[in-house]
Amino acid sequence: MAGFIEGGPRSQTVLFPERLEDWIGEDDLVRAVDLFVAELDLSALGFERATSARTG
């Protein structure tokens, strides 16, 4: 068929992985930093927008 362009696989929904977890190894140092920051009380540290809005 003239002009037909073959598409990509239907199972591929995005160009990059949907989750950052797929890119970071289990023993990567960034996981320790993530846990540390998750434990911080950002509101007490003066961050005004530390709490997400109800809409996300």
Side-chain angles (χ1 to χ4, degrees), residues 5-54:
I5 300 172
E6 188 172 329
R10 292 179 182 261
S11 62
Q12 181 178 350
T13 57
V14 293
L15 180 60
F16 299 108
E18 294 180 11
R19 301 177 329 132
L20 193 57
E21 297 284 327
D22 296 340
W23 286 43
I24 300 172
E26 287 186 28
D27 58 344
D28 198 303
L29 181 60
V30 74
R31 293 195 182 272
V33 174
D34 182 48
L35 288 173
F36 175 77
V37 173
E39 293 298 317
L40 294 175
D41 184 358
L42 298 177
S43 296
L45 293 172
F47 289 90
E48 296 176 6
R49 298 184 181 176
T51 305
S52 299
R54 286 184 16 206

Side-chain angles (χ1 to χ4, degrees), residues 1-5:
M1 179 184 232
F4 178 74
I5 300 172

